[in-house]
Amino acid sequence: MKTGIAIYLGLDNTFEENIQLIETAAKYGVQRIFTSLHIPETDKSSLKKQISEVLNIAKKNNMEVISDISPATLEILGIEKFNLSAFQFLGIQTLRLDYGYDAEQITKFSHNTKKIRIQLNASTITARLLMELMKLGANFANIDSLHNFYPREGTGISEETLVRKNSLLHKAGIRVGAFIPSQHRRRSPLKAGLPTLEMHRHNDVSLAARHLAAIGIDSIFIGDSLPSIEELETLSQIKENEIEVKAQLLSSDEFTRNLLSHTFTARVDEARDAVRAQESRSLLNGTCIKSANTKVRSYGSITLDNEDYLRYMGELQIIKMPQPADKRVNVVGKVLNNEEFLLNYIIPGKKFSFIFE
């Protein structure tokens, strides 16, 4: 899972704060920096003064810089005409073509010899544009994509839209990134967060990032101006190809607690009423699970079959259909209510694990 931050020169942060953000993010393994060079509220004089040094700091920390550009960017930077060499000289490795560029131009840029990658706007991508790029012979090995963020409340896209756009891009072999908001310092002028999905606007970094990972996003960026150290650390811990769900632990048994710390795989023969872990019974190693807390199993309950279930002892499930109490089944945990929607992504063959509060 690639991770990223956003730097907005000439906006909220001081020069020193931007440098500190880059260096702190690098310590937590963040590999990418997004910056926009055509935000209307930007202090253009500050941007011009700071851009070279900020990009040099990013280079020293081996971070890829993605610049969101439009034809207006050329005027801001004082570049007379579009010239990849000028962006390469600044230290920008990836150009996100926001608007104003057609399929022929994108195709031409994708074959550049300057080792500059091209990034498409994933939120506005269409099947028609992808077909045109294919017909024109675009170099898809040099193209990836990144969704928009949405500063105004109520304008973020839906999960359905994001999944549909991702499907188009993944079928073409193009990797996809998206934004989540920070709850620490939000970017001006609206300061309402910068998520791709509207449903993430008030979510913490952990839940929003784990949701994007569950959907299949390849790269996650914190869009706001100055994420906290805790948010950067949380982002660095997000796992790719694994659904992580926060839950309440309801067992004090040491063996049970250790067993629940493993990563599991959802069985491919999907049950109607529960997610069944493929590996749990094989982890017993001769340990006997005694009956305990055999209460009603509500939606999101995490259960472990005890010795009374004979050869099923050690069967771990997450309940999808409420079930009555059974003396053979221990309730050892409960998925947090606001995390229950993540169970929809634990499909057959998918890895999953628990984060206990």
Side-chain angles (χ1 to χ4, degrees):
M1 173 66 66
K2 287 192 173 183
T3 55
I5 55 170
I7 297 290
Y8 307 102
L9 302 176
L11 205 53
D12 297 315
N13 297 355
T14 65
F15 174 73
E16 291 74 20
E17 285 175 325
N18 281 329
I19 297 302
Q20 184 62 52
L21 174 57
I22 293 171
E23 293 180 340
T24 303
K27 289 178 182 178
Y28 283 102
V30 173
Q31 309 102 321
R32 313 182 84 185
I33 296 174
F34 170 83
T35 189
S36 180
L37 298 179
H38 62 93
I39 297 174
E41 294 82 10
T42 298
D43 180 337
K44 297 178 178 60
S45 63
S46 293
L47 185 153
K48 291 178 180 179
K49 289 177 184 177
Q50 298 175 14
I51 188 167
S52 293
E53 191 164 353
V54 167
L55 293 178
N56 281 334
I57 296 294
K59 184 177 181 180
K60 288 178 182 177
N61 284 281
N62 298 311
M63 299 174 80
E64 174 194 4
V65 176
I66 299 162
S67 176
D68 197 18
I69 67 166
S70 71
T73 304
L74 305 183
E75 181 182 348
I76 293 172
L77 296 178
I79 301 173
E80 291 186 8
K81 64 179 182 178
F82 191 95
N83 184 345
L84 291 176
S85 296
F87 293 105
Q88 183 188 42
F89 179 77
L90 284 172
I92 295 170
Q93 295 99 330
T94 300
L95 294 179
R96 183 174 185 264
L97 307 179
D98 196 10
Y99 61 88
Y101 300 98
D102 61 25
E104 288 188 3
Q105 290 172 305
I106 295 170
T107 299
K108 179 182 177 182
F109 299 154
S110 75
H111 287 283
N112 75 84
T113 59
K114 305 297 182 181
K115 296 184 179 180
I116 290 182
R117 291 182 57 77
I118 301 303
Q119 191 170 77
L120 304 178
N121 185 330
S123 298
T124 60
I125 198 70
T126 62
R128 174 177 292 183
L129 176 59
L130 287 174
M131 286 297 296
E132 287 182 27
L133 292 174
M134 290 177 188
K135 289 179 181 178
L136 291 168
N139 178 14
F140 281 78
N142 201 33
I143 295 174
D144 75 348
S145 66
L146 178 61
H147 281 280
N148 283 337
F149 53 63
Y150 295 90
R152 186 192 184 283
E153 291 173 303
T155 61
I157 65 175
S158 67
E159 180 180 331
E160 180 184 10
T161 297
L162 182 139
V163 169
R164 186 174 68 251
K165 301 288 188 179
N166 289 1
S167 180
L168 282 173
L169 291 156
H170 281 153
K171 285 178 181 177
I174 298 173
R175 295 176 69 82
V176 188
F179 291 93
I180 58 174
S182 166
Q183 302 301 334
H184 184 243
R185 182 189 289 178
R186 294 184 152 190
R187 203 200 73 183
S188 295
L190 299 181
K191 298 185 178 181
L194 297 177
T196 291
L197 291 181
E198 185 59 36
M199 67 181 291
H200 287 166
R201 193 170 298 275
H202 302 294
N203 285 161
D204 60 38
V205 162
S206 175
L207 181 55
R210 285 183 289 114
H211 182 207
L212 287 183
I215 293 171
I217 285 290
D218 305 298
S219 189
I220 301 173
F221 294 77
I222 297 177
D224 282 292
S225 297
L226 195 63
S228 67
I229 291 176
E230 291 76 17
E231 288 177 325
L232 291 172
E233 182 178 13
T234 295
L235 185 65
S236 72
Q237 295 169 347
I238 300 301
K239 297 177 182 176
E240 192 170 10
N241 300 318
E242 181 177 325
I243 311 299
E244 297 179 285
V245 183
K246 284 188 177 180
Q248 179 185 8
L249 184 62
L250 299 176
S251 174
S252 59
D253 177 66
E254 185 177 351
F255 178 81
T256 297
R257 294 163 72 99
N258 181 64
L259 188 148
L260 291 172
S261 69
H262 285 77
T263 295
F264 302 98
T265 308
R267 286 179 57 139
V268 293
D269 51 342
E270 183 179 17
R272 182 195 66 175
D273 297 339
V275 174
R276 300 178 67 195
Q278 183 175 295
E279 305 88 351
S280 59
R281 280 188 267 171
S282 65
L283 296 172
L284 294 182
N285 294 321
T287 300
C288 181
I289 297 177
K290 299 296 183 180
S291 177
N293 199 32
T294 57
K295 64 179 186 177
V296 171
R297 292 164 286 169
S298 59
Y299 183 86
S301 292
I302 303 165
T303 67
L304 198 62
D305 290 358
N306 62 49
E307 61 181 337
D308 293 332
Y309 233 133
L310 306 177
R311 67 183 180 89
Y312 283 94
M313 182 173 67
E315 164 99 0
L316 184 141
Q317 297 184 358
I318 308 175
I319 301 303
K320 296 191 295 184
M321 183 78 71
Q323 298 169 50
D326 187 328
K327 68 176 184 177
R328 302 168 296 178
V329 182
N330 298 351
V331 178
V332 295
K334 173 67 173 67
V335 174
L336 301 186
N337 291 343
N338 68 325
E339 303 249 340
E340 288 178 345
F341 76 98
L342 292 175
L343 301 183
N344 296 322
Y345 305 99
I346 307 179
I347 59 176
K350 193 71 176 180
K351 301 280 187 189
F352 67 94
S353 60
F354 303 110
I355 301 171
F356 288 105
E357 294 283 272

